[in-house]
Amino acid sequence: MEASEFTKTTAMPRIGEKAPSFKAVTTQGEINFPEQYEGSWVILFSHPADFTPVCTSEFMTFATMEQQFADANCKLVGLSVDGLYSHIAWLRTIKEKIEYKQMKDVEVKFPLIEDITMEVANKYGMIQPGEATTKAVRAVFFIDPKGIIRAIIYYPLSLGRNFDELYRALIAMQTADAFAVATPADWRPGDDCIVPTAGSCGVAKERMEGKEDIKCYDWFFCTRKIDKETVLNKIIRKK
Ligand code: BEZ
């Protein structure tokens, strides 16, 4: 069957929109999404199938980093179109049997949604028929504490995600919110941030320059130093 025969016309959620609501059964009980996550960032991500190697490497990596995300006020929620008992058996196998890249005895404590009907996957545009009609692609939705979708990343089935990049993106978005800045290419905490310029007629550069910690490359491109400690003190929860 042609992929196009499966294509649904439902709109996919987009950046800046409210995350679509759903209730679902997970490995950690029922969830009411995104309402019960109000006040936290949440990463909702899909994987193609339980008991597959790329997904296993991803779950082990994400589970190992769960506390790091939690310290940045971010919870994780996984989804695939497999059933609950498959999820439970797969996560148990990961914990009991898989040793990979110095990760072992890895317990996945975040909820993994069962979505046999593909209702949630379809709502979030995770079924992309050109890639697969019976599996979700590797989608990542960053949802902010008010339930707004702030970033979306899609990967194909064969490509495992870079979880350092997901963490970097989370911290960058939180930094943008906290300091009213944008973050340039490859930004990491401690790098200069981009400040909004006041206008488009050349006055902005003169107005900005001379201000402490501001550097202008041209009228439309000014940066501000925010040191790493200042960023992390604001964003990372104290233990
Ligand atoms: C994997 O996770 O290894 C995988 C899953 C579905 C298709 C291809 C690879």
Side-chain angles (χ1 to χ4, degrees):
M1 201 174 283
E2 283 292 306
S4 58
E5 290 175 52
F6 287 91
T7 308
K8 296 209 169 189
T9 50
T10 46
M12 283 165 57
R14 291 173 294 195
I15 290 174
E17 294 176 354
K18 192 100 185 120
S21 295
F22 62 85
K23 290 194 170 91
V25 170
T26 84
T27 49
Q28 303 291 328
E30 285 191 17
I31 59 168
N32 180 18
F33 194 94
E35 285 73 14
Q36 80 179 65
Y37 293 91
E38 198 183 319
S40 292
W41 284 75
V42 55
I43 293 180
L44 173 68
F45 69 102
S46 57
H47 70 278
D50 298 345
F51 291 102
T52 52
V54 178
C55 301
T56 299
S57 70
E58 290 191 320
F59 264 69
M60 293 182 77
T61 307
F62 225 175
T64 304
M65 294 173 75
E66 187 182 4
Q67 188 58 49
Q68 193 180 331
F69 281 87
D71 290 344
N73 189 30
C74 181
K75 298 184 170 144
L76 311 177
V77 179
L79 174 149
S80 82
V81 303
D82 298 292
L84 184 63
Y85 295 109
S86 166
H87 285 343
I88 291 169
W90 179 46
L91 299 186
R92 186 182 300 154
T93 304
I94 288 176
K95 178 165 165 51
E96 292 177 357
K97 295 200 180 147
I98 310 289
E99 186 171 344
Y100 172 70
K101 282 194 164 176
Q102 297 177 326
M103 294 181 281
K104 67 172 188 179
D105 195 25
V106 174
E107 190 172 347
V108 175
K109 295 182 184 147
F110 55 80
L112 174 49
I113 295 168
E114 78 156 1
D115 190 29
I116 313 171
T117 61
M118 300 192 186
E119 190 185 328
V120 180
N122 277 317
K123 226 177 208 180
Y124 274 82
M126 292 165 170
I127 306 295
Q128 305 209 351
E131 180 72 347
T133 53
T134 57
K135 296 174 174 58
V137 295
R138 299 182 198 281
V140 185
F141 287 82
F142 294 81
I143 295 160
D144 76 11
K146 292 186 176 146
I148 303 297
I149 297 171
R150 298 290 297 275
I152 306 171
I153 311 178
Y154 288 109
Y155 294 69
L157 302 189
S158 61
L159 177 59
R161 286 162 276 208
N162 181 321
F163 292 88
D164 287 333
E165 167 58 8
L166 302 189
Y167 185 71
R168 189 196 73 88
L170 173 74
I171 300 300
M173 286 186 278
Q174 293 186 357
T175 300
D177 288 354
F179 296 94
V181 293
T183 51
D186 298 331
W187 178 89
R188 290 193 172 270
D191 293 346
D192 292 353
C193 296
I194 293 176
V195 286
T197 44
S200 59
C201 55
V203 268
K205 183 170 186 285
E206 282 70 39
R207 228 186 268 159
M208 298 291 265
E209 263 178 345
K211 282 193 188 162
E212 213 180 328
D213 293 337
I214 303 263
K215 176 177 167 63
C216 287
Y217 297 87
D218 205 330
W219 59 267
F220 61 91
F221 186 2
C222 296
T223 61
R224 173 185 153 201
K225 277 193 196 313
I226 308 178
D227 62 47
K228 185 172 178 176
E229 209 187 1
T230 306
V231 168
L232 297 184
N233 277 345
K234 183 97 178 175
I235 285 166
I236 305 300
R237 235 175 16 204
K238 310 270 180 321
K239 295 207 174 111

